[in-house]
Amino acid sequence: MKENRVVEKDAPLRKDDLIVITGAGGFIAGNLALYFKNKGFTRIRGVDKKPVYEWYLRVPGVECLSLDCSQEEACKRVCEGAVEVYNLAADMGGMGFIERFRVECLRSILINTHMVEAAWRAGARRYFYSSSACAYNTLLQQDPKVRALKESDAYPAMAERGYGWEKLVSEMFCQEYWAERGLKAFIARFHNVYGPNGTWDGGREKAPAAICRKVIEALDSGSDKIRIWGDGTQTRSFMYIDDCVKGIDRIAHCDDLIATPINLGSSELVTINELVEKVEKIARVKLKREYDLNAPRGVAGRNSDNTFIKKVLKWEPHTPLDVGLRATYKWIEEQYRARKEGRRVIE
Ligand code: NAD
């Protein structure tokens, strides 16, 4: 998308420039707000449609707005004075959610449609959009021993029904706002993100959190079994949250990546069975597997080809799964205990 166009250099971002982050009551955007706060930025505006008391992370000093970003007027308010906008709001969850609620997923198109327009009208210098590996052609993901997906594999398009198509079309919006209107837009295709302070129960959780919780439940109830969705041979890669927020920052500040979708994911491929084994090792337990072949299982295999990100950013997500899982397990165990004691927790 860069053609031969001259890209004007921005003034360096000042610590008191306004950074807007949507979806900030959720997992990744909440951690992103914390990341920018820790970097010394003093004006961060977090936005989420959830009431503020339900936000996973409420970072001291970060403005918290409870607004629905699928509404045009709300987006105008959200983007007032913004220098950089990070749009991570979406109605989403793990496979159980995105296979069951395709309409909800598709309706997230309203969020990006209004946010990118509002950001452009407000004169924001940079706009970041969180896309997904679900935007890739599903026909390339029918074998657990898949080759990793590279950026060009999104087209010819055959994205995940609902959620994936919404991401693909929103990517195009971002690309055209750059092509026609000069908004510096950045697009990362996240591959499964996990870590503390994310959903771990209730139906929207993803595989690493769900498996940690199931192992904890088995230990707590004295059960020797674990129920696994599918036959456990599905392969995936999982990116730790710290790598994700660092990656977002690097991508959104690299002018070589304007309007150019890029993978943001780990390339450490595991089967779901291996993921279960890793969690069992952390919990020092061995459980009997019960495979639920009727449960949602998603594509057979998916991995992130990191050739492009390594070339452009000289960096890639690198936290080993064993390390990230240990921190995640510990956090979910604490949440589980707290909930049992009747205390309020993130779910
Ligand atoms: P999350 O569900 O924890 O956070 C998303 C937040 O967006 C939620 O708090 C939700 O209330 C909010 N939201 C939904 N609709 C909204 C609206 N209309 N207005 C304002 N807020 C709204 O999810 P997450 O894991 O933090 O995902 C963040 C982004 O990353 C999403 O765009 C998601 O599609 C993308 N993504 C995540 C993963 C992953 O593994 N977690 C993978 C690929 C892509």
Side-chain angles (χ1 to χ4, degrees):
M1 288 299 292
K2 282 192 301 300
E3 312 112 26
N4 286 329
R5 186 163 163 177
V6 177
V7 177
E8 279 174 37
K9 246 177 130 35
D10 296 337
L13 190 64
R14 293 198 325 242
K15 292 293 184 205
D16 62 349
D17 278 338
L18 180 64
I19 296 174
V20 166
I21 304 174
T22 71
F27 172 43
I28 303 174
N31 278 285
L32 186 65
L34 179 62
Y35 169 85
F36 281 129
K37 179 79 192 157
N38 289 341
K39 275 190 93 174
F41 289 95
T42 55
R43 290 180 65 219
I44 303 166
R45 177 180 296 154
V47 191
D48 203 289
K49 71 173 178 186
K50 291 193 288 205
V52 175
Y53 72 88
E54 283 183 17
W55 291 27
Y56 294 169
L57 277 173
R58 261 166 290 161
V59 184
V62 169
E63 182 186 356
C64 299
L65 291 183
S66 177
L67 286 172
D68 181 347
C69 297
S70 64
Q71 307 287 325
E72 188 180 2
E73 284 308 311
C75 294
K76 284 186 194 160
R77 161 72 186 94
V78 165
C79 290
E80 266 168 27
V83 175
E84 295 193 350
V85 175
Y86 295 79
N87 178 24
L88 285 93
D91 230 332
M92 67 91 62
M95 280 321 298
F97 182 85
I98 66 177
E99 285 195 0
R100 166 87 180 74
F101 298 106
R102 290 186 181 133
V103 171
E104 298 305 321
C105 293
L106 282 168
R107 285 180 59 81
S108 290
I109 194 87
L110 295 170
I111 302 174
N112 191 63
T113 306
H114 292 312
M115 278 301 298
V116 71
E117 171 77 13
W120 172 69
R121 285 191 181 276
R125 289 209 296 248
R126 282 167 193 264
Y127 183 86
F128 174 88
Y129 176 65
S130 54
S131 185
S132 163
C134 290
Y136 282 116
N137 190 323
T138 49
L139 300 177
L140 300 172
Q141 305 172 60
Q142 291 175 325
D143 185 331
K145 295 193 186 75
V146 278
R147 70 165 170 77
L149 293 161
K150 54 183 187 301
E151 285 75 3
S152 55
D153 289 332
Y155 293 95
M158 186 59 74
E160 179 85 40
R161 282 180 69 91
Y163 181 70
W165 278 100
E166 186 276 316
K167 293 293 186 194
L168 209 52
V169 176
S170 289
E171 286 186 2
M172 195 175 289
F173 265 88
C174 294
Q175 291 175 312
E176 299 309 335
Y177 267 78
W178 164 245
E180 284 184 24
R181 300 187 180 185
L183 174 63
K184 287 186 178 174
F186 301 84
I187 303 152
R189 293 188 183 136
F190 297 168
H191 291 246
N192 296 302
V193 190
Y194 74 100
N197 298 309
T199 316
W200 59 279
D201 204 355
R204 286 185 189 244
E205 67 280 12
K206 300 199 148 206
I211 290 167
C212 288
R213 189 202 69 237
K214 287 178 186 182
V215 169
I216 294 163
E217 281 169 350
L219 282 172
D220 188 41
S221 65
S223 161
D224 61 351
K225 298 188 189 78
I226 181 163
R227 181 168 280 263
I228 297 169
W229 286 8
D231 61 8
T233 60
Q234 317 91 288
T235 52
R236 293 289 186 280
S237 70
F238 299 97
M239 166 170 58
Y240 192 56
I241 184 67
D242 291 3
D243 287 334
C244 182
V245 292
K246 264 181 225 151
I248 293 172
D249 185 7
R250 286 170 197 228
I251 289 168
H253 295 103
C254 173
D255 281 357
D256 289 339
L257 290 174
I258 296 174
T260 308
I262 185 166
N263 279 334
L264 183 56
S266 161
S267 56
E268 182 182 349
L269 190 69
V270 288
T271 63
I272 295 300
N273 281 327
E274 285 164 346
L275 184 65
V276 174
E277 277 163 29
K278 284 179 184 295
V279 178
E280 284 177 328
K281 213 167 134 196
I282 293 167
R284 295 203 192 84
V285 67
K286 197 81 200 154
L287 301 167
K288 286 189 201 124
R289 278 104 173 98
E290 281 183 351
Y291 294 104
D292 183 351
L293 302 181
N294 295 319
R297 50 168 290 163
V299 291
R302 177 184 291 153
N303 196 7
S304 176
D305 182 327
N306 286 351
T307 312
F308 184 49
I309 194 167
K310 282 193 280 188
K311 184 169 163 237
V312 191
L313 296 181
K314 314 274 178 285
W315 176 88
E316 67 177 317
H318 48 67
T319 305
L321 185 52
D322 284 321
V323 174
L325 267 183
R326 199 166 283 282
T328 309
Y329 183 89
K330 185 169 174 281
W331 179 81
I332 294 177
E333 202 177 28
E334 284 161 11
Q335 293 284 301
Y336 185 88
R337 285 215 193 97
R339 184 174 67 181
K340 233 182 139 180
E341 287 161 10
R343 284 185 277 138
R344 242 190 108 238
V345 294
I346 289 173
E347 272 180 77

